[in-house]
Amino acid sequence: MTQFGRSVVVSAYWLVVAAGGAGAAGGVLAQPAATPAPAPAAAATDTAATELLAKVREAIKNTRSLSYGAVVTDMKGGATISTGEVSAARADAGGWKVFASGENVNSKDEKTNFTVAYDGLSARAMRDRDKVIIERSLEKTEDLQIFFSGQSVRHPFAWEVLADEPFAKVTSVTLEAAETVQGEPREVLRIVVPDAGTDEADAAAVAGDAKGTPASVVRLFVSKGDHLPRRIERLRLAGDGTLLAGRALEMSNFAINADATLRQFTLDVPEGWRVRAADRDARRAAREAQKEAEKNAPPLPEGVTWRSDPNVLRPGEAAPDFSLATPDGGKKTLADYKGKVLVLDFWATWCGPCKTAMPALQRLHEKYKDQPVAIVGMNAEGPEGGDPVAFKKENGYTYQLLLEADAVSDAFKVRGLPTFYVIGPDGKVVWGGVGLSPPPGSQRASSKARAEYLEQTLDALIQSALPK
C-alpha cells in the first residue's frame, strides 16, 4: 500500500478512471456528452486506430518536456473540479520530473490550493493549512500517481503521457469521429483498458457487450500536428455504455520541448514550515514492525486467514466514538450500534477498489439484515466532489451510509481506501484490514477473487463476533 490523500491511501494495483484536468489558462472545452455512446457492437481493434495509437506512443517517446494549463471537469455533472498549471521534463535517470499548482473545487464550491513537485527522487506536496510539506521518496511513476492522488492532485496530470510505458495494456482501440477541441479538429481514439474490475477473460468482451461488466475507457483527443493529446477523458461505463463516472482533462497553452514553460521541480521549504517525511528506512522499519506484530497477534477466528492489519486499530482496542450525518439529515454515533456486530467500510466514489468491494458488502447486508449486524459505509469523499448518496442509489446498495467520515479517519487510523473494520457488540475492534487482499497463495488474483475473499473473511468474522 502507498500513501493516499488526506493521509488516506489506495491499493497500488488499482489504476483506473478518476482523472481529468485542464488549466487555469483554460481554453474552450469540448462539451461532454451526458452519456457517452457505447462502443460499436464489434469493438475489435481496427487498423487505423492501431496506427494512430502507434504514432501517439512515438510522439510521447520523443517528447522531452511539456507544459500546459489544466481544467478538469466532472463528466456527469459538468462542474469544474480542478484548474492548474503543469510542467514536466524527462529525468536523467529515467521517468519524469513534474510540477503542478492550482486549485481544487469541491461540491460545495469551496476552493483549496495545491502545489506539488517531483524531482525524479522525492515528491513534495505543500499543505497550506498546516504549513507542512509532505515528502515521499519514490521510484516509479505508478507510485507518483498514487502519492499525488493522496494529496488530491491526480486530476491535472496527463498520466497517459507520463507513464513509463504509455498504453502498455490495451484491451481494444477504435477510431471515433473527429471532434473540435479549442477550435481545432482532433482525432479521437477510444481505448478500452483492463482494470481490477474485470478479469482478463472478461475484458475482451467488455467494449461491445451490452450485458458485460463495467469498462474503463480512455478517450484521447489527438492533435493532427504532433500526435499528442489535447483532451483526455477517463470514463467508467456500464455494460450498456451508460456513464457511471468520468473526468475530462483539457490541456490549453500546450507546449513541448524547447517551447515548454518549466518550473523548479524541487519545492523549497518556506520559513516557518516543516517537512514531514516517510523515507525508505522508515518504510523498512514499518515492515519489520508488521512482521513482529503478526508473530504476536492473537489466534484468528475459525475460517479467517486474512490477518488484521497492524497499522490500523488493533483487535481488542476500543473503537473511537463518532457522530456522523446520515443522508436524511440525522446523526449516528458509535453508541447507536451497541450490542450489534458493526462492519465499517471507509470508502469514496472515486476509489476503484472501494467500488469493487461494495457488492460483497451489499450481500452481507442482505444476509444479516434480520440479525444484530450493521453494515455501514463510512464515506470519506474529501474535496473530490462525488455524490455518495446518488452513487449508492444508482447501484442499488441499501446498507447504511454515513457522510463526511473524513472527520474520523485519523481516529480510525485510516491510511488507505478502502479500510474495513469489524467491531464487536462490546464496541471493541475485532479486525481491521486495508485494501483488497488476495487469497493466500494468489498474489495475482483477479479483483473478483479479492472481493470474494473479502466477503468470506467478513462473513467468518461476523459469525465469530455474534453473541452465542
Side-chain angles (χ1 to χ4, degrees):
M1 305 293 292
T2 16
Q3 172 87 13
F4 196 82
R6 299 170 304 283
S7 301
V8 179
V9 194
V10 74
S11 305
Y13 75 87
W14 184 280
L15 296 174
V16 199
V17 162
V28 179
L29 293 180
Q31 295 300 314
T35 303
T45 301
D46 61 56
T47 302
T50 301
E51 291 176 351
L52 179 56
L53 182 57
K55 291 178 181 179
V56 171
R57 287 177 172 141
E58 185 65 20
I60 293 172
K61 178 182 176 181
N62 293 329
T63 299
R64 310 308 304 168
S65 60
L66 65 119
S67 63
Y68 57 85
V71 176
V72 184
T73 53
D74 184 332
M75 292 291 289
K76 292 202 73 173
T80 299
I81 60 175
S82 184
T83 62
E85 300 291 336
V86 178
S87 296
R90 298 277 185 183
D92 293 337
W96 292 84
K97 298 180 289 184
V98 297
F99 171 93
S101 65
E103 64 181 19
N104 293 322
V105 185
N106 66 16
S107 59
K108 300 177 182 177
D109 205 31
E110 298 169 337
K111 298 178 180 180
T112 55
N113 295 329
F114 64 80
T115 302
V116 295
Y118 175 60
D119 62 6
L121 294 173
S122 297
R124 283 185 165 187
M126 301 185 74
R127 188 171 293 177
D128 292 348
R129 180 186 60 190
D130 304 319
K131 295 189 180 302
V132 167
I133 289 181
I134 308 298
E135 183 180 66
R136 295 289 182 272
S137 297
L138 303 172
E139 297 178 351
K140 299 182 295 183
T141 302
E142 174 182 302
D143 294 337
L144 178 64
Q145 182 176 0
I146 294 169
F147 173 71
F148 282 173
S149 295
Q151 309 309 314
S152 299
V153 196
R154 72 177 177 275
H155 295 324
F157 288 96
W159 296 109
E160 290 75 9
V161 177
L162 302 176
D164 294 332
E165 297 182 39
F167 299 104
K169 293 183 179 181
V170 171
T171 298
S172 69
V173 55
T174 51
L175 192 60
E176 297 184 350
E179 295 189 28
T180 299
V181 176
Q182 300 169 9
E184 297 290 336
R186 309 296 185 192
E187 296 179 287
V188 182
L189 279 175
R190 179 193 186 92
I191 303 169
V192 179
V193 294
D195 61 52
T198 58
D199 294 335
E200 290 295 329
D202 297 332
V206 133
D209 182 2
K211 298 180 180 179
T213 53
S216 290
V217 174
V218 176
R219 297 180 77 220
L220 292 185
F221 294 70
V222 179
S223 167
K224 293 184 178 182
D226 57 25
H227 296 116
L228 292 171
R230 296 299 192 273
R231 177 181 172 92
I232 302 173
E233 296 177 358
R234 301 175 180 89
L235 313 173
R236 185 72 169 162
L237 304 181
D240 62 0
T242 302
L243 179 64
L244 299 176
R247 299 286 186 267
L249 164 64
E250 182 118 7
M251 295 172 280
S252 62
N253 297 335
F254 191 89
I256 62 172
N257 300 335
D259 296 326
T261 301
L262 301 183
R263 304 290 188 92
Q264 181 176 328
F265 297 113
T266 300
L267 295 182
D268 294 328
V269 182
E271 185 176 353
W273 286 49
R274 58 191 175 88
V275 176
R276 196 166 77 196
D279 58 23
R280 206 170 303 166
D281 290 339
R283 292 197 297 273
R284 187 180 299 113
R287 287 195 295 269
E288 293 301 321
Q290 180 171 342
K291 291 179 182 177
E292 188 65 23
E294 288 177 353
K295 284 194 299 184
N296 299 322
L300 293 170
E302 184 178 353
V304 177
T305 56
W306 183 346
R307 288 194 174 277
S308 188
D309 192 313
N311 298 308
V312 299
L313 298 173
R314 304 290 180 88
E317 289 188 59
D321 195 10
F322 56 80
S323 177
L324 297 174
T326 60
D328 60 6
K331 289 283 186 180
K332 284 286 188 181
T333 67
L334 180 66
D336 292 325
Y337 300 99
K338 185 177 181 180
K340 293 184 178 182
V341 179
L342 178 60
V343 178
L344 300 181
D345 167 31
F346 285 83
W347 71 287
T349 60
W350 43 260
C351 165
C354 300
K355 291 183 279 191
T356 298
M358 293 176 84
L361 296 169
Q362 177 65 23
R363 287 190 292 270
L364 290 171
H365 166 66
E366 293 170 357
K367 179 176 180 178
Y368 290 104
K369 62 183 179 182
D370 296 324
Q371 299 186 51
V373 176
I375 312 294
V376 179
M378 306 280 280
N379 184 253
E381 199 69 20
E384 303 293 336
D387 188 340
V389 178
F391 179 84
K392 286 195 68 183
K393 184 176 180 181
E394 290 169 3
N395 289 278
Y397 301 133
T398 57
Y399 57 89
Q400 294 181 38
L401 171 63
L402 298 183
L403 303 173
E404 298 182 0
D406 313 70
V408 297
S409 291
D410 285 345
F412 277 87
K413 294 188 176 180
V414 175
R415 297 297 181 268
L417 293 185
T419 288
F420 306 99
Y421 278 103
V422 176
I423 297 170
D426 59 357
K428 293 184 178 180
V429 173
V430 174
W431 177 90
V434 182
L436 292 181
S437 181
S442 305
Q443 291 301 316
R444 297 177 63 85
S446 68
S447 178
K448 179 180 178 182
R450 292 168 185 259
E452 289 174 349
Y453 183 46
L454 171 70
E455 184 174 359
Q456 293 165 4
T457 299
L458 293 177
D459 195 8
L461 288 163
I462 292 170
Q463 290 287 344
S464 72
L466 277 170
K468 300 297 188 284

